[in-house]
Amino acid sequence: MSEEIREEPMEGVASEDESSDESMEEEDANESREEAASRVYLPGQALQVGEELAVDKSAYRLLHYAQSGAPCLTFDVIPDDLGGTRESYPLSMYIVAGTQAAKAHVNKLLVMKMSNLHGSEQRSEDSDSESSDSEDESDERKPVMSVAPIRHHGCINRLRCTKLNGAMLAASWSELGRVNIWNLQEQLNAVEIPSLLATYRNKYDKNADIKPIYTFKGHLSEGFGLDWSRTEPGTLASGDCKGNIHIWRIDSSGTSWYVDQRPYNSHALHSVEDLQWSPNEKNVLASCSVDKSIRIWDMRASAQNACMLTVHDAHTADVNVISWNPTESQFMVSGGDDGLLHVWDLRRFGADGASPLATFKQHTAPVTTVEWHPTESTVFASGGADDQIAQWDLSVEADEAEQPQDSVLAKLPPQLLFIHQGQSDIKELHWHPQCPGTIVSTAHSGFNVFRTISV
């Protein structure tokens, strides 16, 4: 098993490589190579033959790249006790990720600690003085990733974690049609101390299986929808590819779950792609589906009457992801196979459906992930199969007096703050709730951890 973390991604965004100058037309032959070294890449521009994208480090406050062996197409940030708000570098953070290996029996949950994550400005200063530093001192600035694996039967479709009664739990959706709940405490202890991690890895190498603390096999197929309630600890919603949603509630012992065998099903056998509990109402749940709809449920009602509001044609194709604004709960953002992002005001949902407050068509392929910033109510990020992560701020308005003359720039919405590239087939992103402005993202090509100068 191979895991590593590097200081910078192998690929990035912001400016073209110096080799691109050779293909530029009408360039002054007397201009030096340094003066024509690079130019800013604008979204929508086609690269010419021989041109490459190279990262502009000045556009990032933090930028790191990590590999985990088999691709992890889902993960979640693990809340920690290192401090509520951390902006000084180096940073440390914890995540739990799920692999999608070629063979079902070799999949794993990976509990990871990423530490010694220096900021871009720090690394630039370090490189200036590198000649005077010893090799040992240079090694001290290298990022570190410690990993404690758990064997998992089947590829992991979706993974979400929560803290319950002092323990860190993770729920995993298996391609085999089961939803498991795991206690991650042993793994979190192991990644803290090298000797404990060595002992743990030795046990793992001897095929010592760690069992989930609870498994639900009542779904009729595999699924993707999964979310822990933020207002009622221990409550979980899971949705499958047959359109069924099951609600889990912790029992009186606090160690097991009661799962209602009667599913909530208004998606009529169409796959439930994503689920989101309301950030402030414990009985309200949102779902989106391949049937192109977004639905709002009241879980106090019976299964056949619980769907209260529906937007039937929220997108022109499958609705893949939704995110409920954690600070302004009347707003939601959705992303679909049509490449569109829609921002919704739930107060406008009614019997006749609703129209989005705003629509953005920046992505050129299906949107696979979207999430509001945890504290900035107007900021969200989106990612997709077009290998782009976009940062947005809805509070920005177009200034007609300062409209760019360049035709490409004129087509960009003013709310678009930043485009991050360098990953292949992006699957999921999360803002780190304790490291302001920091995004962790996963794709077929690995993980990125970054913070831009825009947020």
Side-chain angles (χ1 to χ4, degrees):
M1 181 170 150
S2 173
E3 301 96 11
E4 62 176 337
I5 186 167
R6 302 178 185 175
E7 290 192 24
E8 300 156 5
M10 299 175 68
E11 300 176 276
V13 68
S15 62
E16 295 175 355
D17 190 78
E18 291 186 7
S19 61
S20 65
D21 301 322
E22 299 173 4
S23 60
M24 292 175 63
E25 299 178 358
E26 300 179 7
E27 187 173 340
D28 187 351
N30 297 322
E31 196 170 9
S32 70
R33 188 175 187 83
E34 289 75 16
E35 290 173 328
S38 63
R39 59 190 178 89
V40 174
Y41 170 77
L42 298 176
Q45 286 184 329
L47 295 179
Q48 299 179 19
V49 175
E51 288 185 331
E52 295 179 359
L53 291 177
V55 69
D56 181 354
K57 298 174 187 176
S58 66
Y60 291 87
R61 303 184 192 184
L62 179 78
L63 184 56
H64 291 274
Y65 176 85
Q67 281 285 358
S68 59
C72 296
L73 305 186
T74 183
F75 78 99
D76 204 4
V77 175
I78 298 176
D80 58 57
D81 299 322
L82 300 180
T85 301
R86 308 194 293 273
E87 293 197 71
S88 58
Y89 300 110
L91 292 175
S92 294
M93 60 184 64
Y94 303 79
I95 68 171
V96 55
T99 66
Q100 287 212 349
K103 297 180 180 179
H105 69 280
V106 297
N107 280 285
K108 310 173 186 72
L109 294 181
L110 303 176
V111 177
M112 296 187 268
K113 178 184 180 181
M114 299 180 182
S115 56
N116 211 34
L117 302 179
H118 284 270
S120 301
E121 184 177 338
Q122 281 181 299
R123 295 204 306 274
S124 177
E125 293 173 354
D126 291 341
S127 63
D128 292 341
S129 59
E130 189 173 344
S131 58
S132 62
D133 290 340
S134 69
E135 185 175 340
D136 290 341
E137 289 173 329
S138 179
D139 288 343
E140 289 178 0
R141 292 191 291 271
K142 290 182 178 179
V144 177
M145 184 163 74
S146 303
V147 181
I150 303 172
R151 285 187 178 80
H152 188 279
H153 297 293
C155 296
I156 296 99
N157 294 342
R158 195 63 57 87
L159 191 60
R160 294 290 180 263
C161 66
T162 191
K163 196 167 188 178
L164 182 65
N165 299 327
M168 191 58 59
L169 306 182
S172 64
W173 237 129
S174 169
E175 65 170 347
L176 303 179
R178 305 173 208 150
V179 181
N180 302 305
I181 296 181
W182 310 80
N183 189 326
L184 305 181
Q185 205 57 53
E186 181 183 4
Q187 293 73 32
L188 287 171
N189 291 339
V191 297
E192 288 296 327
I193 304 173
S195 60
L196 284 181
L197 183 58
T199 301
Y200 179 89
R201 295 293 286 259
N202 183 56
K203 180 176 71 171
Y204 177 87
D205 291 340
K206 292 179 179 178
N207 294 317
D209 278 345
I210 297 168
K211 304 295 183 184
I213 61 175
Y214 189 86
T215 298
F216 178 62
K217 301 178 181 179
H219 280 284
L220 301 179
S221 68
E222 66 176 315
F224 297 90
L226 195 65
D227 195 35
W228 291 100
S229 171
R230 293 155 185 77
T231 58
E232 192 171 48
T235 296
L236 180 72
S238 56
D240 62 34
C241 293
K242 296 291 186 182
N244 295 315
I245 300 171
H246 288 275
I247 305 301
W248 309 40
R249 300 192 188 277
I250 196 78
D251 67 8
S252 57
S253 69
T255 58
S256 188
W257 280 262
Y258 168 75
V259 186
D260 195 336
Q261 298 295 324
R262 298 167 300 173
Y264 295 83
N265 188 334
S266 291
H267 287 292
L269 300 180
H270 291 88
S271 176
V272 176
E273 296 295 278
D274 201 6
L275 293 170
Q276 286 267 297
W277 286 101
S278 166
N280 57 4
E281 296 185 61
K282 69 177 184 178
N283 295 302
V284 179
L285 180 73
S287 64
C288 66
S289 170
V290 168
D291 66 6
K292 307 176 187 177
S293 74
I294 297 175
R295 298 175 188 267
I296 308 297
W297 308 75
D298 186 340
M299 294 310 175
R300 293 168 295 187
S302 60
Q304 62 269 26
N305 298 317
C307 183
M308 300 296 176
L309 300 170
T310 302
V311 178
H312 286 286
D313 291 308
H315 284 257
T316 59
D318 303 2
V319 187
N320 296 327
V321 284
I322 50 177
S323 179
W324 209 317
N325 194 312
T327 56
E328 298 287 344
S329 60
Q330 68 269 33
F331 298 118
M332 181 178 289
V333 62
S334 63
D337 265 359
D338 52 11
L340 296 177
L341 292 164
H342 289 319
V343 180
W344 305 91
D345 185 340
L346 300 182
R347 295 169 298 184
R348 298 188 179 184
F349 277 29
D352 298 327
S355 298
L357 285 178
T359 295
F360 300 107
K361 182 66 174 80
Q362 177 62 34
H363 290 283
T364 58
V367 176
T368 56
T369 181
V370 65
E371 187 170 275
W372 289 100
H373 190 284
T375 57
E376 298 289 338
S377 62
T378 61
V379 175
F380 68 91
S382 61
D386 58 355
D387 305 337
Q388 298 185 50
I389 290 176
Q391 293 181 335
W392 305 84
D393 188 347
L394 300 181
S395 67
V396 178
E397 297 181 359
D399 188 338
E400 298 295 336
E402 297 182 6
Q403 281 296 305
Q405 300 301 312
D406 186 289
S407 60
V408 177
L409 281 175
K411 294 178 182 178
L412 297 178
Q415 295 82 8
L416 179 61
L417 297 180
F418 197 95
I419 294 178
H420 170 81
Q421 290 177 280
Q423 291 178 284
S424 175
D425 198 7
I426 295 160
K427 292 299 182 182
E428 194 162 36
L429 68 82
H430 294 295
W431 299 90
H432 197 293
Q434 295 165 276
C435 303
T438 301
I439 288 178
V440 185
S441 59
T442 188
H444 271 288
S445 55
F447 289 91
N448 277 190
V449 182
F450 64 94
R451 183 182 183 184
T452 73
I453 59 174
S454 300
V455 180

